[in-house]
Amino acid sequence: MIFVTGGAGFIGSNFILDWLADPHAEPVLNIDKLTYAGNPYNLSSVAGDARYAFVQADICDEQAIATLLSRYRPRAILHFAAESHVDRSIHRSDEFILTNVNGTFNLLNKSLHYWQSLPERERADFRFLHVSTDEVYGSLAPDDPPFSETSPYSPNSPYSASKAAADHLVRASHHTYGLPTLTTHCSNNYGPYHFPEKLIPLVISHALSGKPLPLYGDGQQIRDWLYVSDHCTALRAVLARGRIGQTYNIGGWNEQTNLHVVQTLCDTLDELHPRARGSYRELITFVKDRPGHDRRYAIDARKLEHELGWRPTESFQSGIGKTVRWYLAHGDWVAQVRSGAYLNWLRQQYGDHPPGAL
Ligand code: NAD
Ligand code: TYD
């Protein structure tokens, strides 16, 4: 079987659903602490599948991780579990250090002991795939080339700094002890099951409730948007054929300003779910900028294309269309994640003047 950490989150749950859609796929054990961002409901369609199992555990828990490894003997670990929201990391970073750094360290340590105990054949097959981010490379100027695998590390937020620390520990585990690791750096994902504190689902949810659509600063920051199922395909390719010890960048070849993203969402909603009067664009509201806001991220994914033949299949237009349709059809999911924790975060972010909670 394979282990997936953080499989109840946005990308992890998409990965598990995508993995199990293949009738020949190996079983999956999803190890998730179920923080505010983890939602087992994302996986209700596979809950009855004999190939799927879930364990609520913290990746920092030494005993739990060691026991799971010796009991289930996975042939691979895909490590998604993390605190993932930049704005939260700015307010308070403790959990980011605990999970992203200490948790990854614990997982690596326990994986190393487990891997060293395996018979030679199983040892050769084992992989530890660490899911990282393009944010570890810092921010690009308008004319800079996109980030490649050799771009220097330059993390700017507590979130990206904690992911960078984890990347270095993964690298050291391979270099020093030979643990068969793979590291991926993906750009901003979007698609189904995206928690509505992040830009795209937040804008859709607010628009549908007639609430302001908050754009930080001038809205001219650039992100390289990757549809989540394209990301899952890339991860499967890296797991199957990636070279041990290597890093691979995964991006959508799809740079967009935040303003353009929000306008595209408004136009798509105008078409699929028109307001009684006017356009959703009227709800766009410029708010105070994020401290230390990175201006531009962009990924050069040619290594993945040349070595493993992967390219994204979704265009921005088609991906946004699918995403908006999914949110329109899954109001129940959005209602379910409207939790106290989320409302607390909005209060912390905007004080007494929120631009509109879910
Ligand atoms: P998410 O916040 O939606 O989900 C994180 C999951 O990890 C949740 O289910 C949560 O319960 C679980 N988790 C958190 N702390 C844990 C702990 N201590 N032990 C066990 N489980 C724990 O995140 P996501 O957007 O799905 O991101 C997944 C991975 O991809 C992360 O490592 C993130 O850094 C990386 N990434 C995400 C994006 C993106 O656009 N979402 C972009 C680049 C990289
Ligand atoms: P986000 O989805 O938080 O991802 P990240 O910070 O990891 O890139 O934000 C994407 C971009 O959208 C980022 O430049 C911040 C901006 N943003 C807004 O303008 N308004 C918002 O309400 C949010 C959540 C993000």
Side-chain angles (χ1 to χ4, degrees):
M1 64 153 54
I2 62 164
F3 280 10
V4 168
T5 71
F10 164 46
I11 304 175
S13 54
N14 275 284
F15 180 83
I16 292 174
L17 294 173
D18 182 72
W19 178 269
L20 292 176
D22 173 357
H24 305 295
E26 298 152 286
V28 180
L29 180 70
N30 176 10
I31 303 169
D32 198 298
K33 180 180 171 183
L34 296 185
T35 67
Y36 77 94
N39 194 344
Y41 181 62
N42 297 0
L43 294 149
S44 49
S45 64
V46 293
D49 189 324
R51 297 169 304 158
Y52 175 71
F54 170 74
V55 171
Q56 184 171 5
D58 187 334
I59 57 165
C60 300
D61 184 335
E62 295 190 34
Q63 188 61 50
I65 298 301
T67 305
L68 290 170
L69 283 165
S70 65
R71 184 173 303 161
Y72 294 104
R73 303 177 63 80
R75 72 110 184 144
I77 299 177
L78 286 100
H79 176 34
F80 295 88
E83 288 293 333
S84 69
H85 189 198
V86 174
D87 292 317
R88 281 181 188 263
S89 81
I90 293 169
H91 288 297
R92 199 170 169 161
S93 335
D94 314 34
E95 289 296 328
F96 289 75
I97 305 305
L98 286 175
T99 287
N100 300 2
V101 186
N102 297 5
T104 301
F105 177 66
N106 181 44
L107 212 53
L108 284 166
N109 243 343
K110 295 294 172 288
S111 301
L112 182 62
H113 286 129
Y114 162 70
W115 174 71
Q116 285 169 336
S117 75
L118 290 173
E120 202 175 321
R121 176 103 179 270
E122 287 174 44
R123 202 158 60 221
D125 285 348
F126 183 79
R127 296 289 182 276
F128 185 105
L129 195 164
H130 171 60
V131 179
S132 186
T133 167
D134 59 359
E135 302 193 22
V136 297
Y137 300 125
S139 184
L140 292 166
D143 297 328
D144 285 344
F147 300 126
S148 76
E149 289 78 1
T150 54
S151 296
Y153 272 62
S154 187
N156 289 322
S157 71
Y159 162 68
S160 53
S162 69
K163 293 293 289 186
D167 295 358
H168 296 323
L169 291 168
V170 172
R171 180 189 157 89
S173 297
H174 172 67
H175 190 81
T176 305
Y177 306 108
L179 186 72
T181 60
L182 297 156
T183 297
T184 57
H185 297 277
C186 63
S187 57
N188 285 62
N189 284 223
Y190 68 106
Y193 303 112
H194 203 179
F195 194 81
E197 66 187 354
K198 306 280 173 68
L199 179 69
I200 288 180
L202 181 143
V203 163
I204 297 170
S205 307
H206 280 209
L208 293 175
S209 315
K211 291 173 178 160
L213 313 179
L215 266 174
Y216 298 164
D218 61 3
Q220 292 305 310
Q221 303 82 8
I222 291 173
R223 299 292 182 262
D224 175 352
W225 293 95
L226 171 66
Y227 192 65
V228 64
S229 67
D230 278 328
H231 184 198
C232 295
T233 313
L235 290 174
R236 279 193 280 123
V238 172
L239 179 65
R241 305 189 305 282
R243 284 185 294 137
I244 289 173
Q246 292 288 307
T247 63
Y248 292 92
N249 283 357
I250 309 172
W253 297 109
N254 180 32
E255 289 184 54
Q256 309 286 345
T257 64
N258 291 340
L259 177 61
H260 184 251
V261 169
V262 174
Q263 287 174 335
T264 307
L265 287 167
C266 290
D267 299 348
T268 309
L269 281 164
D270 283 340
E271 195 187 315
L272 298 176
H273 195 270
R275 298 179 82 193
R277 268 209 321 270
S279 162
Y280 287 99
R281 284 191 182 213
E282 289 157 25
L283 298 171
I284 293 175
T285 307
F286 291 89
V287 300
K288 194 163 140 302
D289 207 352
R290 167 189 284 173
H293 199 170
D294 283 339
R295 200 66 185 164
R296 174 177 167 236
Y297 303 142
I299 281 278
D300 177 343
R302 279 178 298 177
K303 179 175 173 183
L304 193 53
E305 183 173 349
H306 292 156
E307 282 192 21
L308 305 180
W310 175 89
R311 267 193 79 83
T313 57
E314 215 66 62
S315 70
F316 187 58
Q317 208 60 41
S318 66
I320 286 290
K322 282 187 179 177
T323 305
V324 170
R325 274 189 209 93
W326 188 88
Y327 278 90
L328 286 173
H330 291 82
D332 55 339
W333 184 87
V334 176
Q336 207 246 349
V337 299
R338 282 179 189 174
S339 70
Y342 176 71
L343 294 177
N344 285 342
W345 171 77
L346 270 185
R347 231 168 274 129
Q348 202 175 22
Q349 173 84 349
Y350 293 107
D352 291 328
H353 305 287
L358 268 179

